[in-house]
Amino acid sequence: NLVELLPEEQQTLTDASITATNGQTIMKFTKLMSEPGEIEILFGDNEFLWAHGSDATLAYHGNNRAAFSLDLAAAGAAVAEEEVTDPTDPSVEVEEDSVNVPDAIQDPSGGQDCTVNFCDNELTTGFLQKYRINVPDGQAPETCDGCTIDMELIYDGEAWVSIGFSLNGRMIGSEAVIGIPGSTTLKYNLNGYTDNLVQPMPQEQQTLTDASTVFQNGQTIMKFTKIMKEPGEVEILFGDNDFLWAHGSAPALTYHASRSAFVLNLSSGAAQELTAPNKGLWLAHGVMLFLAWGVFVPFAVQASLLRKLLPEGGIWLQIHRGLNTISLALFIAGFAISVATTKKEEQPHFSNPHRRMGLAMFIMAILQVIGGIVRPHNPLEGEKKKPVRVGWEVGHRVLGVSLLACGFWQMYEGILLYGVKYSTDESDEEAITIAYWVWISVMIAVMVLGGAFFKLRK
């Protein structure tokens, strides 16, 4: 919407035309070099831009564009600023074959026709995707009915491999072909992040042909042919497609060792990694909840269990209340960010175990705070505790321990979900996970061992 026509009074081109002839698109026009209010074309050095699309519809050019300098006073003196020259510029010498681009799918890395030869796309180091479009006779690639795609995935190592087809670059709701070496190569529905939610499609949708996954010469190789447009499934387009890739660390289909989302334009071969939105918001959510349940709540519990180490006079209770108040404020803020961001992404609320557990914890935490406010008074020294006080203490401790355990699980699940959503580096995710569990283990050890010590000493 920001590429707009000039006003009618500035449409001064003459002899202007654009035609598709003999497999080429040819645009011709005559333009005044100096026009009021417009960039002047000089009889010397000029800065030009060129671009072309992937079809006849005016849309995003992808990687098919560049800037170049051209001296109109010196024939052939053109310099590409992005190391790409315009094959239709008559002042630049190019081989005739490079100008005559056939009406087929081109791979810019090697100029291959991807309807004849396999085109390559490196997914990551040691993981290669190869594909070829099969167009029936008499069909055009852009409007093809019955086109199929041959695809190969080659992974350096022995593990399950997959390529997914998505409408939004997210795993949930997408589809994939997953190959297990020496076993099956099938189409799957990706309904969630856990193994039991990644299920093969019904038998009538298993339409792959020439499908196989083998391990040979140190590589896992998956091959298949898929119909590009199938009823009720994500269509594979000749333009931009949202793909997902993943592989495991062993042949058994379990949690992936590495994965990412990317956009691949099958008509140009241009690929780029796809980044999910709202990364900062979800990071803020995670940091707030870690401070709440990984730092302030454990410290509040330790202030209660290790009160004998603190000065007398109820200091421990003030610390306990203060830390829990801070953690509750952080919890409410983090919960609000989660709800607002989920709505912003137009995702259903409380649709997975992590979100449902978060809601349950929110309710439990509010009840715990209310219970702390209306608690029965502690008896004076020498008096016996009333049953209602004893019951409150048991309930307060049980609910507190339950909240803490749920919080530890929630934070770990959050690390995994963040890693999946934003395709974090595998080694970084592992380091963060190890650091997290080391910290949590220290917190648990202090609470358990310290509490047991003073209990036995008493």
Side-chain angles (χ1 to χ4, degrees), residues 3 16 18 22 33 38 83 97 106 247 268 291 309 312 317 457:
V3 179
I18 183 166
N22 298 325
M33 294 178 68
E38 297 184 22
E83 300 182 354
D97 286 346
Q106 298 293 314
H247 65 77
S268 68
L291 289 174
L309 299 177
E312 296 182 357
L317 185 57
R457 186 179 179 185

Side-chain angles (χ1 to χ4, degrees), residues 190-430:
L190 307 180
N191 298 318
Y193 298 118
T194 56
D195 297 347
N196 64 314
L197 295 177
V198 177
Q199 293 293 325
M201 291 185 181
Q203 187 60 40
E204 60 269 19
Q205 290 182 263
Q206 298 294 343
T207 55
L208 300 179
T209 57
D210 301 320
S212 65
T213 305
V214 298
F215 176 69
Q216 59 185 35
N217 300 324
Q219 293 181 315
T220 298
I221 303 173
M222 178 173 72
K223 300 180 180 181
F224 63 86
T225 299
K226 185 184 184 306
I227 300 170
M228 296 179 66
K229 185 176 182 179
E230 301 189 73
E233 298 183 22
V234 177
E235 181 179 359
I236 302 174
L237 306 172
F238 280 94
D240 287 335
N241 294 269
D242 288 342
F243 286 110
L244 313 169
W245 65 259
H247 65 77
S249 55
L253 183 58
T254 55
Y255 189 69
H256 44 62
S258 188
R259 72 278 182 251
S260 187
F262 66 100
V263 175
L264 174 63
N265 190 309
L266 295 179
S267 64
S268 68
Q272 64 181 39
E273 189 173 356
L274 188 64
T275 303
N278 304 313
K279 187 175 183 178
L281 289 172
W282 287 118
L283 181 61
H285 166 80
V287 170
M288 286 182 178
L289 273 298
F290 171 74
L291 289 174
W293 295 102
V295 179
F296 291 112
V297 170
F299 284 171
V301 174
Q302 291 166 13
S304 175
L305 294 174
L306 308 179
R307 66 186 71 177
K308 296 295 185 182
L309 299 177
L310 299 172
E312 296 182 357
I315 295 297
W316 75 268
L317 185 57
Q318 296 178 33
I319 296 174
H320 184 76
R321 285 174 177 170
L323 292 174
N324 277 327
T325 300
I326 295 172
S327 67
L328 180 64
L330 288 168
F331 188 23
I332 292 173
F335 186 84
I337 289 176
S338 175
V339 172
T341 308
T342 299
K343 181 179 180 180
K344 181 179 180 182
E345 295 179 352
E346 299 180 348
Q347 296 294 306
H349 292 288
F350 315 118
S351 58
N352 62 34
H354 183 78
R355 292 172 179 173
R356 289 192 289 271
M357 179 63 79
L359 176 61
M361 286 184 62
F362 187 80
I363 296 171
M364 292 163 65
I366 296 299
L367 293 175
Q368 182 78 330
V369 171
I370 294 173
I373 295 173
V374 301
R375 69 190 184 282
H377 290 295
N378 213 7
L380 298 174
E381 188 175 351
E383 293 182 351
K384 186 177 181 181
K385 290 182 181 179
K386 295 181 180 180
V388 66
R389 173 71 189 193
V390 174
W392 176 86
E393 289 183 356
V394 172
H396 187 72
R397 291 167 183 167
V398 169
L399 187 55
V401 171
S402 300
L403 275 168
L404 203 54
C406 291
F408 292 161
W409 179 84
Q410 277 287 85
M411 289 184 285
Y412 172 64
E413 282 292 304
I415 293 172
L416 298 182
L417 291 172
Y418 186 88
V420 170
K421 187 177 183 71
Y422 295 106
S423 302
T424 56
D425 184 83
E426 182 182 353
S427 59
D428 291 342
E429 183 178 329
E430 184 178 0

Side-chain angles (χ1 to χ4, degrees), residues 10-17 27-32 35:
Q10 290 181 263
Q11 298 295 342
T12 57
L13 300 179
T14 58
D15 300 322
S17 66
M27 181 172 71
K28 299 179 181 180
F29 60 88
T30 300
K31 185 185 185 304
L32 296 171
E35 300 188 73

